[in-house]
Amino acid sequence: MNVNDSEVILAVLDKGGYAQTENIEEADTILINTCSIRDNAEQRIWGRLDQFQVYRKQKDNLVVGIVGCMAERLKNKLLDSHKVDLVAGPDSYRSIGNLLEDIKPDKPKINVMLSHEETYADITPVRLDKKGVSAFISIMRGCNNVCTYCVVPFTRGTERSRDPYSIVNEAKNLWERGYKEVSLLGQNVDSYHWKKDGENIDFADLLEMVAQIDPDLRVRYSTSHPKDISDKLIYTMAKYDNICKHIHLPVQSGSDNMLKKMRRRYDVAWYMERVNKIKEVMPECSLTTDIIAGFCGESEEDHQGTLKVMSDVAYDFAYMFQYSERPGTLAARHYKDDISPEVKGRRLSEIIALQSELSLKNNKADIGKIFRVLVEGKSKKDENALCGRASNNKMCVFIDNLHKAGDYVDVRVIDCSSATLICERI
């Protein structure tokens, strides 16, 4: 989401006469696009702001701004820090050019108004992928779920979906420009819904519309919410070869007690029924997830439930974090963050260790299989090798001097690590 937001901001600034530079010392304006999901992300931003003070001393008219979720959440603290000249929330990117023009010494500008309509549907993002292979398309903004640990509803506002035809046109334009893959983005794509003039289009319908642009255009999406993922969506994915067989399905916890306290609106039985349906219809589909260790009141039994769900699902990959309390959330207001750092750390270590085992086991099971890989570029570790992802989102590395970024290549898996499939071209 943040990458796509940065691309929208670049498009707005481009129209305002600004040009992007790769050299920070050349910059007259530095904008930091931020995330507030976890505390460590915000702490890194404060560190960067301290670093930028060096450049402010070297260049009198240098403007430093914070945009995105952190701007929305910490607007007053940011302004009081005297380290920024601009604070712009996720729904105010159109105004950034005007805000920059109005900045005066010691008079920072701010716009953090949330919108019920803004989707930036009419803005063509400036793509950051220099190789021109993959691109992100935001299909909706905001979230209505209000999970107790999450700041997103407060920093990005309520859900609103883009016109599906603007999404399809954006995807078509990318395909015509040579892009081979698009990723449809939303905080909860399953709740995408557009209704107008008698048309009623849900996410499965939209996914099919994009997939029909061309069979060689790969289509990915993120993120699904377990309470909303439908049979219709699963069968739509199975119907089209170019819809990638990968679903990111955040479980967060394997305990019904924790899921209720998190306000996730599903239980373990519901989650496993959805997983089993996916595996029944698409046995080759990769499943990845998000997991929080040490949420408020989490018992050892709750933790063991998470480990059990992990083993039962056998995830291919997981984003795993210790719970960090976010000010203003329902959890911060109603629950005590009562799990010690030592216990959180130990539980997270156990989760990470189990996921490493599962990832390695799953990858070993792929040895001998043939995958079609979309080349992303050269491998970072071997200049004679290329790397790219299979439909299941697994990274494949293989020796090849005939192809380039954007090509499709059929490969056979000959070895693996827990993170990578080692392949040979066939």
Side-chain angles (χ1 to χ4, degrees):
M1 297 293 289
N2 273 22
V3 172
N4 183 255
D5 275 11
S6 294
E7 293 176 337
V8 169
I9 293 168
L10 285 172
V12 171
L13 292 177
D14 184 63
K15 288 185 177 180
Y18 289 83
Q20 184 184 7
T21 177
E22 301 293 334
N23 183 358
I24 193 170
E25 294 182 354
E26 294 178 350
D28 298 308
T29 301
I30 301 173
L31 300 180
I32 314 172
N33 195 3
T34 61
C35 174
S36 283
I37 294 291
R38 295 175 182 86
D39 181 64
N40 60 356
E42 289 188 354
Q43 294 308 314
R44 287 197 298 272
I45 297 302
W46 285 114
R48 293 289 282 168
L49 285 175
D50 288 337
Q51 295 172 13
F52 292 153
Q53 301 315 299
V54 175
Y55 298 105
R56 289 168 74 93
K57 292 177 181 178
Q58 296 172 352
K59 187 176 290 189
D60 291 338
N61 296 323
L62 179 67
V63 172
V64 176
I66 292 288
V67 300
C69 291
M70 187 172 169
E72 189 72 38
R73 199 183 80 77
L74 295 176
K75 42 190 173 288
N76 294 326
K77 186 175 180 180
L78 286 165
L79 292 177
D80 292 342
S81 73
H82 302 291
K83 295 179 180 179
V84 299
D85 307 289
L86 170 73
V87 177
D91 289 345
S92 62
Y93 298 152
R94 292 180 190 271
S95 69
I96 287 179
N98 291 332
L99 292 172
L100 289 171
E101 289 181 7
D102 291 341
I103 289 174
K104 302 292 188 299
D106 298 320
K107 291 186 178 181
K109 302 300 293 185
I110 181 171
N111 185 347
V112 291
M113 293 293 292
L114 289 174
S115 169
H116 292 289
E117 292 84 28
E118 182 62 84
T119 64
Y120 302 112
D122 60 320
I123 293 178
T124 301
V126 173
R127 303 297 172 182
L128 291 172
D129 177 17
K130 305 301 183 185
K131 298 169 184 174
V133 176
S134 300
F136 298 109
I137 300 177
S138 176
I139 67 168
M140 60 190 300
R141 299 183 71 84
C143 184
N144 291 346
N145 289 316
V146 197
C147 299
T148 58
Y149 54 81
C150 187
V151 299
V152 168
F154 308 106
T155 60
R156 286 187 172 266
T158 56
E159 287 178 0
R160 59 271 192 200
S161 299
R162 275 181 63 181
D163 181 320
Y165 298 103
S166 73
I167 296 168
V168 172
N169 287 336
E170 185 173 340
K172 283 181 178 178
N173 177 262
L174 288 165
W175 171 250
E176 291 166 356
R177 289 166 54 192
Y179 284 82
K180 296 295 183 65
E181 180 180 273
V182 295
S183 294
L184 308 182
L185 301 179
Q187 297 299 144
N188 173 20
V189 292
D190 302 317
S191 62
Y192 174 90
H193 185 221
W194 186 84
K195 187 176 182 180
K196 186 177 181 180
D197 298 332
E199 283 192 288
N200 197 340
I201 296 175
D202 62 16
F203 181 60
D205 298 324
L206 175 66
L207 192 62
E208 184 170 43
M209 291 165 68
V210 176
Q212 289 175 341
I213 291 172
D214 193 282
D216 282 334
L217 174 65
R218 272 191 175 179
V219 186
R220 297 188 184 277
Y221 67 86
S222 189
T223 296
S224 278
H225 196 296
K227 73 179 177 64
D228 294 324
I229 188 167
S230 65
D231 286 0
K232 180 181 177 181
L233 175 59
I234 296 169
Y235 282 111
T236 299
M237 290 182 66
K239 181 179 177 182
Y240 292 90
D241 290 338
N242 61 326
I243 298 179
C244 291
K245 303 305 183 280
H246 165 235
I247 298 176
H248 189 68
L249 197 65
V251 67
Q252 306 300 1
S253 174
S255 160
D256 285 347
N257 292 331
M258 291 297 99
L259 292 174
K260 184 176 181 180
K261 188 174 282 191
M262 291 176 174
R263 205 167 179 262
R264 290 293 286 171
R265 303 182 187 178
Y266 57 84
D267 57 18
V268 172
W270 171 271
Y271 186 91
M272 291 306 302
E273 189 278 330
R274 291 290 79 196
V275 167
N276 292 333
K277 185 65 178 181
I278 293 167
K279 292 185 175 183
E280 172 196 331
V281 177
M282 296 182 292
E284 75 280 24
C285 187
S286 171
L287 288 169
T288 58
T289 198
D290 296 340
I291 297 173
I292 298 173
F295 187 63
C296 309
E298 183 185 66
S299 68
E300 192 62 31
E301 182 180 0
D302 295 327
H303 170 60
Q304 291 300 319
T306 296
L307 297 178
K308 183 178 185 304
V309 167
M310 292 176 66
S311 296
D312 290 345
V313 177
Y315 295 110
D316 290 284
F317 176 81
Y319 294 102
M320 301 158 284
F321 307 93
Q322 293 184 35
Y323 171 66
S324 61
E325 184 177 88
R326 311 308 293 127
T329 60
L330 293 176
R333 297 203 300 270
H334 298 293
Y335 303 131
K336 184 179 180 181
D337 184 8
D338 55 357
I339 308 302
S340 71
E342 293 76 19
V343 172
K344 285 182 181 179
R346 189 260 301 169
R347 290 176 181 172
L348 179 60
S349 294
E350 292 177 4
I351 289 169
I352 292 172
L354 175 56
Q355 185 55 53
S356 295
E357 293 177 12
L358 294 171
S359 296
L360 182 59
K361 182 179 179 181
N362 289 346
N363 285 352
K364 283 183 176 180
D366 286 334
I367 293 176
K369 293 181 180 179
I370 294 174
F371 294 120
R372 194 182 196 204
V373 172
L374 176 59
V375 178
E376 296 178 5
K378 289 187 177 296
S379 168
K380 294 180 180 179
K381 296 183 178 180
D382 185 350
E383 63 177 14
N384 295 315
L386 297 177
C387 66
R389 295 185 184 276
S391 173
N392 59 14
N393 204 42
K394 292 188 180 184
M395 179 58 73
C396 300
V397 176
F398 54 98
I399 301 297
D400 190 316
N401 57 9
L402 298 177
H403 295 88
K404 63 184 185 305
D407 289 344
Y408 285 110
V409 181
D410 291 329
V411 300
R412 179 184 291 108
V413 183
I414 58 175
D415 200 356
C416 70
S417 68
S418 61
T420 306
L421 299 179
I422 312 301
C423 307
E424 61 181 5
R425 180 169 54 86
I426 58 173

